Amino acid sequence: MDYDDFLISYHRDDPGALEFIEMAETEGGLPRTRDQYKNMRKKLRAKIAAKRASELMSTLAGNILSKSSVVDNLVSNLPGIDRTKEEQMERISELIDQNQKADEELQEMYKNAEMKRDKIRSVLDKTT
């Protein structure tokens, strides 16, 4: 960005230009000429990049800690987390048995529904 672009950005309250001004004030004053701007930009470019990297690292570290806390909470609330492996396997076996019984009941209900449907169709065929 050249000096003219910088001035336009500054007047438009561009965050990058405002950050440059803030840092330039701490480094000996605002640039008033193209040459001062060019020299100041060279000095501050690395400092601005380091500041942004530091802010990014802080944000990322916060995100990681937050996500880690969420994962820990989810894991601690898993059903059966307090059971031994044998207890978990026993529970799985119980659930498999329940599932098989439910499947048998469902098949029986399906057969009954088909028989009722067939009876209704038969009655409808005779009456129409």
Side-chain angles (χ1 to χ4, degrees):
M1 173 180 340
D2 68 4
Y3 187 66
D4 293 329
D5 292 336
F6 163 71
L7 292 176
I8 291 169
S9 296
Y10 173 69
H11 287 291
R12 291 184 179 163
D13 291 331
D14 177 70
L18 296 175
E19 182 181 24
F20 180 84
I21 292 294
E22 181 182 316
M23 291 190 80
E25 288 175 335
T26 64
E27 291 292 319
L30 301 174
R32 306 248 181 245
T33 65
R34 288 179 182 1
D35 288 337
Q36 287 177 347
Y37 170 74
K38 189 176 181 181
N39 292 334
M40 183 76 63
R41 190 181 78 189
K42 285 179 186 177
K43 273 203 277 187
L44 294 180
R45 185 178 292 163
K47 288 184 181 184
I48 290 172
K51 180 182 173 189
R52 287 182 182 163
S54 174
E55 291 169 352
L56 178 62
M57 289 301 159
S58 294
T59 301
L60 292 175
N63 288 346
I64 288 170
L65 290 174
S66 172
K67 301 299 181 197
S68 176
S69 174
V70 169
V71 168
D72 286 344
N73 187 32
L74 290 171
V75 168
S76 67
N77 290 323
L78 284 172
I81 197 70
D82 56 337
R83 296 181 185 157
T84 65
K85 185 174 182 175
E86 292 80 22
E87 292 171 332
Q88 289 177 358
M89 294 306 291
E90 186 177 309
R91 179 67 178 143
I92 289 172
S93 180
E94 290 171 7
L95 291 172
I96 288 172
D97 290 342
Q98 288 177 5
N99 190 31
Q100 287 174 341
K101 288 176 186 174
D103 182 51
E104 291 169 2
E105 290 174 14
L106 183 61
Q107 287 180 10
E108 185 65 32
M109 291 168 65
Y110 183 77
K111 286 179 187 175
N112 289 338
E114 281 183 324
M115 288 184 348
K116 288 179 183 179
R117 181 199 63 202
D118 292 342
K119 284 182 184 177
I120 290 172
R121 282 185 180 168
S122 172
V123 170
L124 286 174
D125 285 343
K126 290 178 184 176
T127 59
T128 55

